[in-house]
Amino acid sequence: MFTNKEAFKQAFLERLVSMHGKGVQQSTLSDRYYTLSSMVREYISTTWVETNDYYKENGAKQVYYLSMEFLLGKLLKQNLMYVGKYSLCSEALSELGIDIHELEEQESDPALGNGGLGRLAADFMDSLASLNFAGHGCGIRYKYGLFEQKIVDGYQVEVPDYWLQEGNAWEVRKSDRSFQIRFGGKVNITEQAGEIIVEHVDYEPVLAVAYDMPMVGYQNSTINTLRLWNAESMVKDMNLTELSKQGYHHAMEYKRRTEAISEFLYPDDSTPEGKALRLKQQYFLVSASLQSIVARFKRLHDDMKSLPEYIAIHTNDTHPVLAIPELMRILMDEEHLGWEEAWEITTNTISFTNHTILAEALETWSIDLFQSLLPRIYLITEEINERFCKQLWIRYPDDWDKIRNLAIVADHQVKMVNLAVVGSHHVNGVSKLHSNILQKELLKDFANYFPQKFSNKTNGISHRRWLLMANPRLTESISETIGTSWISNPNELRSLKAYKDDHSLQDLLADVKKHNKHKLASWIQKETGITVDPSSLFDVHVKRIHAYKRQLLNIFHIIDLYHRLKENTTTLSVPRTFIFAGKAAPSYHLAKNIIKLINALAKVINHDKSINDQLKVIFIKNYGVSIAEKIIPAADVSEQISTASKEASGTGNMKFMMNGALTIGTHDGANIEMAEKIGEDNIFLFGLKPDEVLRYYANGQYNVRDVYEEDNRLKYIMDQLMYGLFSRERADFQSIYYSLLNHDEYFVLKDFACYVETQNKVAHTYTNQQEWQRKSIINIAQSGYFSSDRTINEYTEDIWKI
Ligand code: 26Q
């Protein structure tokens, strides 16, 4: 049906009738979307089965990437492009009078992630399949993804994201792949004929049912699997005596409790909340995944000791780190191995990446909660801890402080990052700077004890999704200039560098950007009713809203700019459009007030006739993968201005770079490596260095008042916050005001002066379009390093050994 346009059209029309009982004229966009996606799914299903058969036959080592988050984005266009059938379909549909883009828009984004960590997992799935590696994902099939963000009167309002309402065209329910997960109850340990028998009783069972989604490789006939687990009750399995004994109400309560486990994604990317449910989710993911991984392994091999030869398991941050005691449980209680053997296998199978050093995001669980919810897992964790502490004692006799710091169970808490390091063969950070901070600060004692475990794997992004799919015009222009080999080998983007002074390429890329900006401007008009000038400089700050990401610093610059315009002390060399987007965790009040502040500022500035449209401020609601795909190709300037040392890597920075935006950024995360690749002339770096920030934290914060008193601009801006501009909203901004003036944990005031100076440099550079385009070409040319293909090749070679 995908061989030629005529065959496709006929198949499409037939299927429209058989699925929806309609002809083209009567069909809705949704009918057409489901018709097309079911055809694509059918088309890829044979290859999917073949990939699995191939893995089975050649005994390939399998990687399993365990993650609480997979932020996939829409899949129709991706799947069609990756199987090489996009143009055929789009042309054939257009002959039927159907615009394929309208069908693409029908698909809801599976928003099963919060931000960077979740999107990284999705880009990794893309690279694993596209590079022909046997790598699969294991996650949770949340009924509700990350909340939908509405803006009401400038405030964020969260609405449930029921992405499954119309069904998910890409999933296959595998009822025969289901496993029982046990919560609560008691553990009895007895000895029979020298063997230890562990019996878990009175637990509450939950059924994990697999829903598989195909992860399609780029034009290479590899299709891997993302397995998402759905939590279901076992009411159906209860017999009548049990049911009548417990009563109907009881059974329904049980059903509700169990289904709640895969009900929704935690909308919190830093603060631990809803503790018990989150711990249940983590164990649910881990236990289902490991049972399924071990079951597959046993169908193909009989010696458990060879597990690490055939299987690598990676935990995406500490969220799935219960994989360590769970694998121990399976090996000992079910496969009857001894502790030492089981430990050897476990630590040779599991590896771990840390994604943040923010103290509030380091997971710990109270012993009480852990023990009552997961009694067997607790016993195993305690034993891991005791054995580890014994070794520590030999190495550091009497050094109680060090031992307490390294222990897994201490101060009435189970420390997940400690468990992760002790039970993994590799521990890595996600940029050079971040890995250094892990080894020199956060996990210093561990790095001394296990130096061979630590390494760096700088993040990357899928150039296929973020360039080929998101920016077709740029893709075409690049290929016209240097050929197409960069698509399978993104490092070859480097040959663009030879054209950095080529005026015709500079003009061509300027035209591409202009086109993308026009497209975004008309979308913004449609979405917000605000007119933005496509010839203004698009300065873009899109990511989760968090104090450390310093949206406030950007806002301060805008207020200052606005003030200078009003006072006639500045004329802008180029009109500017500041674009913001991002969600705040629902319980994070400061972040929500920042959103309100952006919207309040936008209202004032966008309606002020006296500044002649020289300045516009836009907040785009409900940021996610699809909106990122619209915004990033149209950006001139990429804001990456986190407090130095706080952003582990950042991946948005790489997406902008690849799309030819210039970065204004701090010496943080992967910005530093970007600067190394392109040279400091081609990026606008500013602000405190990470070691300066860390020194301030160690020796007590800097004196905010001094900075405030010395800079009249800051006095003015802070005043405006509380009174002036927003007198009506003063109460909302009071907390921002005081958090800055009392403490300024993230050095907003401290970095303000050099940020403004650097922004002036940005504007000045923009007036020289030749120079700007030259820098932009250098950025694109060096962005190949930040392809997730490079990252995945490093993981497979150094860590997973596949
Ligand atoms: C923890 C406990 C309870 C509830 C939620 C959480 C939680 C959830 C999500 C903690 C952290 C996260 C997500 C972290 C994250 O996205 N980190 C980002 O990871 C990216 C990929 O490595 C980096 O580029 C970013 O710098 C980093 O912030």
Side-chain angles (χ1 to χ4, degrees):
M1 59 190 164
F2 286 95
T3 43
N4 62 59
K5 282 195 266 180
E6 289 313 314
F8 172 82
K9 283 195 282 189
Q10 198 190 336
F12 180 82
L13 293 174
E14 280 168 13
R15 185 157 306 200
L16 196 54
V17 173
S18 69
M19 277 178 75
H20 301 283
K22 292 180 187 165
V24 180
Q25 297 309 322
Q26 302 85 45
S27 64
T28 63
L29 286 176
S30 158
D31 298 337
R32 296 169 187 177
Y33 162 73
Y34 279 100
T35 302
L36 179 59
S37 48
S38 89
M39 288 168 73
V40 179
R41 199 183 97 183
E42 190 179 307
Y43 180 68
I44 63 183
S45 56
T46 322
T47 318
W48 196 6
V49 172
E50 282 166 3
T51 302
N52 277 321
D53 288 347
Y54 175 75
Y55 290 155
K56 243 177 256 160
E57 279 153 27
N58 86 345
K61 183 168 182 178
Q62 310 283 306
V63 182
Y64 297 94
Y65 196 78
L66 268 54
S67 178
M68 292 284 282
E69 308 192 6
F70 286 90
L71 197 40
L72 296 170
K74 297 188 202 293
L75 292 169
L76 175 60
K77 182 176 179 185
Q78 173 168 349
N79 288 341
L80 267 173
M81 269 185 66
Y82 284 24
V83 296
K85 297 293 178 190
Y86 187 74
S87 355
L88 181 134
C89 286
S90 123
E91 286 163 24
L93 285 169
S94 128
E95 288 172 17
L96 293 173
I98 296 171
D99 177 358
I100 195 168
H101 299 117
E102 287 184 351
L103 308 198
E104 289 160 22
E105 288 295 319
Q106 286 298 304
E107 183 168 345
S108 46
D109 272 40
L112 311 185
N114 273 292
L117 164 148
R119 182 58 227 175
L120 185 76
D123 279 345
F124 278 8
M125 291 296 109
D126 178 338
S127 287
L128 280 164
S130 297
L131 297 171
N132 288 308
F133 288 117
H136 314 278
C138 302
I140 295 179
R141 181 179 180 268
Y142 302 105
K143 188 165 166 190
Y144 298 94
L146 186 60
F147 64 86
E148 181 187 340
Q149 179 191 53
K150 304 235 162 171
I151 300 294
V152 178
D153 194 21
Y155 295 98
Q156 166 175 302
V157 175
E158 302 94 22
V159 179
D161 161 58
Y162 191 18
W163 69 292
L164 289 169
Q165 184 139 36
E166 310 281 324
N168 170 9
W170 306 110
E171 68 186 12
V172 186
R173 180 181 165 97
K174 298 261 172 76
S175 311
D176 58 327
R177 297 274 184 265
S178 60
F179 298 90
Q180 196 195 88
I181 319 294
R182 300 167 173 191
F183 291 102
K186 286 196 308 265
V187 178
N188 298 323
I189 300 184
T190 49
E191 222 189 293
Q192 274 171 26
E195 207 189 329
I196 291 176
I197 307 289
V198 179
E199 207 193 1
H200 191 173
V201 296
D202 298 338
Y203 55 82
E204 180 160 284
V206 176
L207 197 66
V209 180
Y211 282 71
D212 286 353
M213 291 174 77
M215 295 286 114
V216 180
Y218 186 75
Q219 300 181 3
N220 67 350
S221 301
T222 292
I223 302 187
N224 291 331
T225 301
L226 171 60
R227 177 159 284 184
L228 299 179
W229 296 104
N230 197 48
E232 298 177 13
S233 77
M234 300 188 70
V235 171
K236 290 192 296 290
D237 304 307
M238 290 163 99
N239 57 39
L240 281 175
T241 356
E242 270 176 289
L243 269 175
S244 63
K245 208 163 67 194
Q246 296 203 340
Y248 180 72
H249 179 70
H250 212 85
M252 291 316 279
E253 274 296 298
Y254 157 66
K255 187 169 176 330
R256 194 191 50 72
R257 262 198 316 277
T258 52
E259 288 169 3
I261 294 175
S262 58
E263 188 98 340
F264 69 94
L265 166 80
Y266 269 87
D268 224 312
D269 79 345
S270 59
T271 47
E273 223 130 78
K275 285 252 163 194
L277 186 51
R278 176 140 176 115
L279 184 56
K280 270 191 175 178
Q281 287 189 331
Q282 296 187 349
Y283 184 64
F284 173 77
L285 162 67
V286 155
S287 180
S289 305
L290 278 147
Q291 290 186 61
S292 138
I293 292 167
V294 170
R296 179 188 180 278
F297 173 81
K298 285 177 67 177
R299 286 198 295 274
L300 303 178
H301 309 274
D302 13 68
D303 183 9
M304 287 312 289
K305 290 194 201 90
S306 68
L307 193 88
E309 263 171 64
Y310 293 103
I311 283 172
I313 295 175
H314 200 82
T315 68
N316 199 20
D317 216 292
T318 54
H319 318 155
V321 151
L322 292 172
I324 293 162
E326 175 66 4
L327 184 52
M328 289 295 286
R329 181 192 69 78
I330 294 173
L331 293 173
M332 295 189 303
D333 299 0
E334 292 175 13
E335 302 300 325
H336 308 290
L337 298 184
W339 182 278
E340 273 82 14
E341 278 174 335
W343 185 243
E344 171 91 10
I345 295 169
T346 300
T347 51
N348 284 322
T349 303
I350 291 176
S351 50
F352 153 68
T353 301
N354 170 282
H355 294 266
T356 177
I357 58 156
L358 291 191
E360 62 270 33
L362 293 180
E363 290 191 296
T364 59
W365 302 105
S366 83
I367 291 180
D368 289 344
L369 175 66
F370 197 115
Q371 194 170 24
S372 67
L373 216 50
L374 309 169
R376 177 61 183 138
I377 295 301
Y378 182 71
L379 284 176
I380 294 170
T381 304
E382 211 179 24
E383 176 90 23
I384 296 173
N385 181 53
E386 269 171 30
R387 287 173 183 245
F388 178 54
C389 287
K390 270 193 197 134
Q391 291 171 358
L392 290 175
W393 184 258
I394 297 169
R395 171 87 174 260
Y396 307 113
D398 293 319
D399 192 345
W400 285 105
D401 283 343
K402 185 165 292 200
I403 294 173
R404 181 180 313 118
N405 183 37
L406 290 170
I408 296 162
V409 186
D411 310 318
H412 311 289
Q413 302 283 315
V414 183
K415 300 183 188 169
M416 299 304 269
V417 73
N418 296 23
L419 176 59
V421 177
V422 174
S424 302
H425 54 88
H426 278 81
V427 175
N428 70 281
V430 291
S431 72
K432 274 193 209 164
L433 173 69
H434 169 64
S435 295
N436 257 326
I437 294 177
L438 283 182
Q439 291 169 50
K440 301 273 146 57
E441 311 274 336
L442 189 74
L443 302 177
K444 183 168 139 224
D445 289 344
F446 276 116
N448 284 330
Y449 190 77
F450 297 120
Q452 72 293 350
K453 284 193 186 188
F454 285 79
S455 72
N456 171 244
K457 294 285 166 279
T458 298
N459 281 165
I461 55 161
S462 164
H463 65 288
R464 288 168 291 272
R465 183 174 268 265
W466 296 104
L467 182 47
L468 270 68
M469 279 177 62
N471 201 342
R473 294 220 176 193
L474 181 56
T475 302
E476 206 177 296
S477 307
I478 295 172
S479 294
E480 275 168 19
T481 313
I482 60 167
T484 54
S485 62
W486 64 273
I487 294 175
S488 48
N489 182 7
N491 260 326
E492 289 186 19
L493 280 170
R494 246 192 244 143
S495 18
L496 266 184
K497 216 171 162 189
Y499 298 85
K500 62 185 192 299
D501 295 307
D502 180 318
H503 295 320
S504 66
L505 183 66
Q506 290 176 353
D507 293 347
L508 186 61
L509 296 198
D511 275 349
V512 168
K513 189 62 84 182
K514 204 164 105 192
H515 168 85
N516 292 340
K517 287 168 74 177
H518 270 275
K519 220 167 122 191
L520 180 63
S522 53
W523 184 78
I524 288 175
Q525 176 82 54
K526 201 175 83 219
E527 286 287 302
T528 65
I530 301 169
T531 311
V532 303
D533 174 5
S535 66
S536 65
L537 188 160
F538 282 14
D539 184 319
V540 182
H541 203 167
V542 293
K543 49 182 81 249
R544 285 297 287 255
I545 311 291
H546 201 293
Y548 87 79
K549 295 180 188 281
R550 297 202 295 191
Q551 280 88 2
L552 279 175
L553 186 54
N554 190 343
I555 294 168
F556 271 37
H557 169 239
I558 300 171
I559 297 179
D560 180 53
L561 208 55
Y562 178 56
H563 179 54
R564 282 190 272 154
L565 272 177
K566 297 282 284 179
E567 301 281 296
N568 278 323
T569 56
T570 300
T571 45
L572 296 190
S573 45
V574 51
R576 298 182 75 147
T577 302
F578 291 92
I579 298 173
F580 292 88
K583 293 177 182 179
S587 59
Y588 189 177
H589 298 291
L590 180 72
K592 291 175 108 171
N593 284 330
I594 293 173
I595 292 176
K596 170 69 185 170
L597 177 57
I598 297 169
N599 285 311
L601 187 62
K603 204 162 139 193
V604 172
I605 291 181
N606 299 342
H607 291 101
D608 187 338
K609 295 272 183 297
S610 76
I611 56 166
N612 269 327
D613 287 342
Q614 294 208 68
L615 216 56
K616 285 277 161 73
V617 178
I618 307 291
F619 185 89
I620 294 172
K621 66 173 194 296
N622 203 34
Y623 185 63
V625 175
S626 293
I627 290 179
E629 287 165 343
K630 291 191 197 340
I631 296 178
I632 293 172
D636 294 308
V637 170
S638 156
E639 297 273 352
Q640 307 300 337
I641 59 176
S642 51
T643 310
S645 81
K646 293 290 179 187
E647 191 69 272
S649 159
T651 44
N653 46 2
M654 303 168 185
K655 294 165 195 164
F656 283 100
M657 177 190 188
M658 206 174 260
N659 280 277
L662 303 194
T663 302
I664 180 166
T666 43
H667 301 266
D668 203 14
N671 295 352
I672 297 174
E673 285 158 81
M674 286 166 50
E676 277 170 22
K677 303 275 173 226
I678 54 188
E680 296 216 1
D681 286 350
N682 298 302
I683 183 169
F684 300 95
L685 288 182
F686 72 95
L688 290 171
K689 302 271 169 67
D691 48 326
E692 294 175 298
V693 170
L694 294 175
R695 216 172 308 131
Y696 276 121
Y697 283 136
N699 303 332
Q701 201 73 347
Y702 81 104
N703 194 331
V704 193
R705 291 272 166 186
D706 289 350
V707 176
Y708 173 79
E709 296 295 343
E710 269 166 33
D711 193 332
N712 284 325
R713 296 169 302 182
L714 282 173
K715 278 199 192 137
Y716 171 81
I717 294 164
M718 295 286 280
D719 268 6
Q720 293 300 310
L721 257 192
M722 281 292 265
Y723 316 102
L725 284 174
F726 324 105
S727 47
R728 252 174 15 104
E729 288 105 344
R730 181 189 317 174
D732 296 324
F733 305 140
Q734 231 166 31
S735 56
I736 298 180
Y737 181 93
Y738 287 115
S739 80
L740 292 173
L741 220 46
N742 288 340
H743 189 43
D744 193 15
E745 191 183 348
Y746 297 106
F747 302 87
V748 173
L749 273 63
K750 183 89 181 154
D751 272 346
F752 173 75
C754 56
Y755 179 61
V756 172
E757 212 176 287
T758 311
Q759 275 286 10
N760 292 339
K761 231 164 78 188
V762 169
H764 180 71
T765 310
Y766 194 75
T767 58
N768 182 345
Q769 270 300 300
Q770 244 173 47
E771 194 187 335
W772 189 272
Q773 291 307 332
R774 183 177 183 278
K775 291 180 191 303
S776 170
I777 292 172
I778 294 172
N779 270 267
I780 300 168
Q782 299 292 356
S783 68
Y785 179 80
F786 299 103
S787 160
S788 45
D789 289 3
R790 189 266 312 147
T791 314
I792 283 298
N793 276 319
E794 290 180 8
Y795 274 92
T796 56
E797 260 172 51
D798 305 340
I799 301 182
W800 302 329
K801 315 278 188 211
I802 53 169

